[in-house]
Amino acid sequence: MLRRATFLGLLMACAATPAAGQSIRREAAPNAAIANSVELPAGSRIVYVSGTVPDLADPAAARGSPQRYGNTAAQTRSVLRTIEARLKAHGMTLGDVVMMRVFLVRPPGAQAMDFAGMMTAYREYFGTAAQPNRPARSTMEVAGLVDPDWLVEIEVTAARPPATGRGR
């Protein structure tokens, strides 16, 4: 009876422990800019980065001028650089991003959000030869952000699979 209880206890412990070598699984069409789904193995380390907005591009530019923060592509680059730095503080990179939410504001005088401008900058950081990973992503047009000159805000979730081996 004691052997059976010990065996059952060991079996249950193994079932609750993530298997070594598990990886994050991303499902996407070969030429898609984003993953249509991402699966994290049990025990993954997750980092949430709050909504990030652009840095001033030209502090001397007047409020309300496009030069103050730049166009949608410039603002997206600024935001992604900031997110990259925030992830680095956690030992992660943009390649670890598994989910992204992009909030875009219609530029003054435009009929709709500048999705093409955002994608121009996005493609410089995701799905490249240097960084081939692509996150699952939602992109939406919003009426405005806290600063009326901001056109872009992005929040991300990054994850790393459980460490393999010992001595981490």
Side-chain angles (χ1 to χ4, degrees), residues 38-59:
V38 178
E39 180 181 7
L40 304 179
S44 293
R45 188 166 70 98
I46 300 173
V47 173
Y48 301 94
V49 178
S50 292
T52 304
V53 295
D55 292 324
L56 274 172
D58 182 356

Side-chain angles (χ1 to χ4, degrees), residues 121-141:
Y122 172 89
R123 284 191 171 116
E124 295 170 10
Y125 292 85
F126 294 94
T128 67
Q131 199 295 94
N133 292 339
R134 297 163 290 167
R137 187 187 75 206
S138 296
T139 303
M140 58 225 77
E141 182 175 3

